[in-house]
Amino acid sequence: MSEARSHIFQRLRAVPRPEVDTTGRDYIPIYQWDKAERIKRFTERMQAVRAEVHHCDRSSWLSKVAELCRVKGLTNLLVSPTTEWGQALYQQAESLPSLTGYDQPIEAWKQEMFYGIDASLTSTLGGIAETGSLILWPNSDEPRMMSLVPPVHFAILDTEQLYTTFAEAVQAQDWLAQGMPTNALLISGPSKSADIAQVLAYGVHGPKELVVILV
């Protein structure tokens, strides 16, 4: 990191965080959805925009990923070896396509990343039932490129982290206290755009397929 950039970050981080009181905000939607209802609505909304949603548990998700890789004809899978899900995949590597780790700067393997990776698998910070969205906070273990570049993106969502609304997720995970990352993502389905003639096209700026594994 350059000295100028470091200096800018130091100045930004030195600014005190303001106290924000959200308790009196009446525009935040409130629903009484139990876990089953949240899963149902999340699934409906994701499938409405062509995302795949598979209901699994911690004993079956790995075999489901292996099965989907076979069905889709994937030859490799980009996955972090340091996350809980990545470590489990590496332990069962014989049943999966070739596993690739994101363990070097993008400049060193840009060609392979953009033209040689079939799919990636990432964790998620949570999900939002009201909108059918995934929450991702990319970091050095799972950079944003992992959910942006490969044609197929597998995302693992722990249903204990599936919230009714975005506001509930912010409150439950205490985002105000811990501070926002430099890059936070809300993903609702595969990449899509209607910029040209208002015709909806999928896979224009990112993955053509989004596969959500609920555990």
Side-chain angles (χ1 to χ4, degrees):
M1 184 182 296
S2 68
E3 184 176 350
R5 188 179 182 189
S6 177
H7 183 61
I8 292 172
F9 279 129
Q10 287 177 6
R11 291 182 60 187
L12 290 173
R13 289 165 180 157
V15 177
R17 296 185 183 279
E19 294 292 332
V20 179
D21 181 10
T22 62
T23 57
R25 298 182 179 179
D26 58 3
Y27 57 82
I28 296 176
I30 299 173
Y31 306 104
Q32 301 299 322
W33 295 345
D34 59 17
K35 182 177 179 180
E37 184 68 16
R38 292 196 298 275
I39 292 174
K40 172 178 175 291
R41 291 180 181 262
F42 175 87
T43 301
E44 289 175 348
R45 283 154 179 74
M46 273 290 181
Q47 291 175 337
V49 291
R50 299 189 183 182
E52 290 183 36
V53 181
H54 298 275
H55 296 193
C56 303
D57 55 38
R58 288 182 175 271
S59 65
S60 64
W61 73 273
L62 199 53
S63 59
K64 174 56 71 175
V65 171
E67 174 192 341
L68 292 171
C69 287
R70 288 194 300 273
V71 171
K72 295 178 182 297
L74 304 178
T75 61
N76 56 57
L77 183 64
L78 178 64
V79 59
S80 170
T82 60
T83 65
E84 172 191 358
W85 314 111
Q87 290 175 358
L89 288 167
Y90 272 93
Q91 291 175 2
Q92 299 293 327
E94 69 280 359
S95 62
L96 296 163
S98 174
L99 299 180
T100 300
Y102 198 125
D103 53 5
Q104 54 186 326
I106 185 61
E107 291 78 11
W109 67 305
K110 187 182 298 182
Q111 186 74 14
E112 180 185 359
M113 177 65 173
F114 279 83
Y115 300 103
I117 297 297
D118 291 344
S120 67
L121 183 144
T122 72
S123 56
T124 63
L125 189 67
I128 304 169
E130 183 186 31
T131 58
S133 305
L134 297 170
I135 304 169
L136 274 71
W137 283 16
N139 54 32
S140 58
D141 292 328
E142 292 183 329
R144 185 186 179 193
M145 287 281 190
M146 290 184 66
S147 62
L148 184 64
V149 176
V152 180
H153 176 206
F154 289 89
I156 308 294
L157 173 58
D158 185 339
T159 54
E160 296 299 325
Q161 305 296 323
L162 177 56
Y163 303 97
T164 301
T165 66
F166 177 70
E168 182 184 342
V170 171
Q171 185 176 46
Q173 297 187 343
D174 206 10
W175 288 17
L176 295 179
Q178 64 175 307
M180 293 286 292
T182 56
N183 195 346
L185 306 179
L186 296 177
I187 299 176
S188 298
S191 167
K192 49 190 173 295
S193 173
D195 289 348
I196 301 175
Q198 296 186 338
V199 176
L200 184 62
Y202 285 83
V204 177
H205 304 300
K208 294 180 180 179
E209 297 183 44
L210 174 64
V211 183
V212 182
I213 308 294
L214 297 179
V215 298

